[in-house]
Amino acid sequence: MLTEFGRVFIFFIIGAIFVAGGLVTAWLVRPQRWYPNKLTSYECGEEPIGDSWVRFNIRFYVVALIFLVFDVEVVFLFPWAVVYQKLGMYAFVEMLIFLAVLLVGYAYVWGKGDLDWDKPEPQIPSVKGKEVTKPQYAEEVTG
Amino acid sequence: MEILISLIKIVIVLFVLLTSVAYIVLLERRVAAAIQNRIGPNRVGWQGLLQPLADVVKLVMKEDIVPRQANKFIHDLAPIISIGVALATFAVIPFGNRIALFGHDIKLQIADVNIGILYILALTSLGVYGVTLSGWSSNSKYSLLGGMRSSAQMISYELAMGLSLIGVIMIAGSLRLDTIVEAQVAWRWNILLQPIGFITFVVSSFAETNRLPFDLPEAEPELVGGYHTEYSGLKFGLFFLAEYANMVTASAIITTVYLGGWQVPFVHSLGLSDVSVSIIQVLGFCFKVGMLIMFFIIIRWTLPRFRYDQLMNIGWKVMLPLAIANLLATGLVILLKWV
């Protein structure tokens, strides 16, 4: 007896055969003429400066953390949604409390500014410490 | 015998899916050309109909370049994850009701998994890995930025996506896609019962498939090619294929969940035989998916791209509250038995 996930597994295998077949064919027919300059990473024709595996903006990490909290909550909501019509009022009140707790956290995160993404501050050009053409520039930005 | 029927179904579905993906690329290029008042590819074959074939041959014949500094294993793995996830989602989509052929009662769905929606959401989450890993492993600044952006974008919109589906699950009382389709008989389509959920879901689908106006991961003017800057040859082709396969899958999911799936209204009142009704239903499903794909394409060529802070604002401050409000409103309506 073939279970439903067995069928999914067969689907996976046939898909894998297709992808592997394509990759092997390409490996057989494509040319391979490498030389050092070809293997540098792309940086608009310049020599790449330094490594790109560097420390990165912390905001992405914060977003991932908030996502984790919310995603776990969504997972809890799925079984609740399936049996909702059978449980009725009880389920609704339960979920109101559950969501209320979560919304407090959401309001806190929002208020703290973790959901605000950086807007780039316009860099005003300066010569010898004196800002140049500030009036026109400010006008352009605000107007 | 059972395995054989499954195999035939899988091969047919994969064949149709991949062929249609190849031709959607051509369709997109022709529509883009028409919108921009150009002609588009029309040289290879009649009206350019052999263009996808020529593209595949070209991609296969191209040299595969992996940058010296890159992590070779992950660089090879990332496109396979992308395409694997894009194809595997299609295993649970019901594209028709049962059909009786050659004495067999065949279900027009590859696997009738009882947690269909959960399976789809799980695979969508895995899709993030393909993009993020390709961005990181290339060890190029553009790729890294594209990968980082895309992981943040996809996880942000995944929440709205999951939350807007909960309303539908509450109405159908099941995670099985087949049950959800069967609940939408005649005109009881979920788009009418869940209009806000439909909007949030479609917007999140655009973000999840990295299509314009949410294509920041590969924003050409600023990031060259985004996460696939360092890919060439067939590995680039796999990313390309995955992007379009994702679009087909997203359209199929929207059709299944909100637009009645294979349900064609009033088809039973025509007095046709069972087999022809089944065939009409499959065609109806294909028609709905095709219309949605056309919608995806037209949106891409008519709207400008969001800025990144706008994207995050829409995801966290508009879509998420909207989806939660929709969830609570649905709960209230079901409780008071208004529907």
Side-chain angles (χ1 to χ4, degrees):
Chain A
M1 185 62 199
L2 195 59
T3 60
E4 296 302 331
F5 277 106
R7 291 172 214 269
V8 175
F9 186 62
I10 296 177
F11 190 89
F12 259 116
I13 291 173
I14 294 182
I17 290 171
F18 157 76
V19 173
L23 286 174
V24 169
T25 319
W27 180 67
L28 287 176
V29 299
R30 74 185 167 216
Q32 294 189 343
R33 287 185 287 273
W34 293 328
Y35 52 90
N37 277 351
K38 213 181 223 176
L39 296 183
T40 53
S41 52
Y42 179 79
E43 218 164 296
C44 304
E46 300 283 327
E47 288 280 326
I49 298 167
D51 203 68
S52 56
W53 292 337
V54 289
R55 281 195 267 176
F56 212 74
N57 196 337
I58 187 79
R59 282 184 173 277
F60 288 96
Y61 178 70
V62 175
V63 166
L65 269 186
I66 304 172
F67 161 75
L68 202 65
V69 174
F70 273 85
D71 209 35
V72 170
E73 171 238 5
V74 173
V75 169
F76 280 124
L77 282 174
F78 275 103
W80 169 79
V82 172
V83 293
Y84 180 73
Q85 294 198 8
K86 289 171 202 150
L87 294 183
M89 196 60 184
Y90 174 67
F92 187 68
V93 174
E94 275 278 275
M95 197 40 61
L96 270 188
I97 297 169
F98 184 74
L99 279 178
V101 173
L102 199 99
L103 286 178
V104 170
Y106 180 57
Y108 173 75
V109 170
W110 191 330
K112 203 159 168 277
D114 285 332
L115 300 182
D116 298 316
W117 209 261
D118 279 333
K119 250 193 193 164
E121 288 287 318
Q123 296 280 318
I124 297 162
S126 63
V127 176
K128 291 176 189 163
K130 269 174 75 182
E131 287 173 358
V132 274
T133 66
K134 193 186 174 187
Q136 296 98 311
Y137 193 80
E139 223 171 72
E140 264 173 43
V141 170
T142 52
Chain B
M1 199 61 219
E2 205 186 351
I3 292 180
L4 191 69
I5 293 176
S6 281
L7 272 178
I8 294 170
K9 276 195 293 188
I10 289 168
V11 170
I12 291 176
V13 167
L14 270 179
F15 179 75
V16 171
L17 182 63
L18 292 170
T19 319
S20 59
V21 163
Y23 278 93
I24 288 163
V25 177
L26 179 68
L27 176 74
E28 168 141 48
R29 290 171 71 182
R30 292 303 297 256
V31 171
I35 289 175
Q36 297 172 342
N37 209 358
R38 296 184 280 118
I39 298 171
N42 69 344
R43 293 287 143 164
V44 194
W46 182 75
Q47 288 293 313
L49 276 182
L50 293 178
Q51 185 71 41
L53 217 63
D55 285 343
V56 169
V57 171
K58 188 191 85 177
L59 282 172
V60 169
M61 299 290 287
K62 288 288 174 193
E63 190 176 353
D64 177 42
I65 298 167
V66 181
R68 208 183 315 110
Q69 300 170 312
N71 184 325
K72 184 145 190 346
F73 175 66
I74 296 179
H75 195 267
D76 288 345
L77 186 70
I80 298 175
I81 294 179
S82 273
I83 187 72
V85 167
L87 292 182
T89 318
F90 226 83
V92 296
I93 306 279
F95 46 89
N97 205 351
R98 300 177 162 278
I99 188 169
L101 275 183
F102 312 118
H104 292 286
D105 185 32
I106 301 168
K107 193 162 176 48
L108 292 177
Q109 181 183 16
I110 289 170
D112 186 15
V113 181
N114 55 3
I115 49 161
I117 286 191
L118 219 54
Y119 173 87
I120 287 173
L121 282 175
L123 280 181
T124 331
S125 315
L126 281 181
V128 182
Y129 282 103
V131 175
T132 313
L133 287 180
S134 68
W136 178 81
S137 68
S138 301
N139 202 350
S140 157
K141 278 116 191 164
Y142 298 107
S143 303
L144 184 75
L145 283 170
M148 277 295 180
R149 278 186 184 185
S150 111
S151 50
Q153 167 184 336
M154 285 166 103
I155 60 176
S156 302
Y157 280 84
E158 213 173 287
L159 290 175
M161 202 171 184
L163 280 170
S164 42
L165 280 175
I166 287 174
V168 174
I169 300 167
M170 282 158 80
I171 291 172
S174 172
L175 291 167
R176 271 181 71 221
L177 288 166
D178 216 35
T179 317
I180 291 173
V181 174
E182 273 158 15
Q184 307 179 57
V185 282
W187 283 107
R188 272 180 61 91
W189 290 3
N190 280 331
I191 182 175
L192 302 174
L193 303 175
Q194 290 274 310
I196 296 174
F198 174 72
I199 292 169
T200 47
F201 189 79
V202 170
V203 172
S204 329
S205 303
F206 273 87
E208 287 286 316
T209 49
N210 294 331
R211 295 280 300 184
L212 251 137
F214 299 102
D215 75 332
L216 282 111
E218 45 176 299
E220 298 95 344
E222 30 183 321
L223 291 185
V224 191
Y227 59 91
H228 54 54
T229 304
E230 297 293 348
Y231 280 86
S232 61
L234 195 67
K235 272 151 72 183
F236 169 76
L238 287 182
F239 271 123
F240 207 67
L241 200 65
E243 190 188 321
Y244 281 85
N246 269 329
M247 197 166 89
V248 179
T249 322
S251 306
I253 296 168
I254 295 171
T255 308
T256 310
V257 176
Y258 287 101
L259 299 178
W262 40 260
Q263 302 269 13
V264 178
F266 313 122
V267 71
H268 287 290
S269 57
L270 293 174
L272 296 166
S273 68
D274 285 351
V275 174
S276 31
V277 165
S278 296
I279 290 171
I280 289 176
Q281 283 172 336
V282 173
L283 290 179
F285 177 80
C286 296
F287 175 75
K288 290 174 192 172
V289 172
M291 284 294 113
L292 276 171
I293 288 169
M294 203 63 196
F295 177 65
F296 266 83
I297 291 175
I298 292 175
I299 288 282
R300 168 161 182 192
W301 295 100
T302 44
L303 288 186
R305 183 180 298 126
F306 282 120
R307 219 170 48 216
Y308 202 74
D309 59 308
Q310 293 172 329
L311 172 103
M312 289 316 242
N313 269 350
I314 295 169
W316 286 102
K317 296 184 179 175
V318 180
M319 287 300 147
L320 195 59
L322 215 58
I324 293 176
N326 177 54
L327 167 71
L328 291 176
T330 312
L332 206 62
V333 167
I334 291 179
L335 202 63
L336 300 174
K337 300 203 190 326
W338 284 343
V339 175

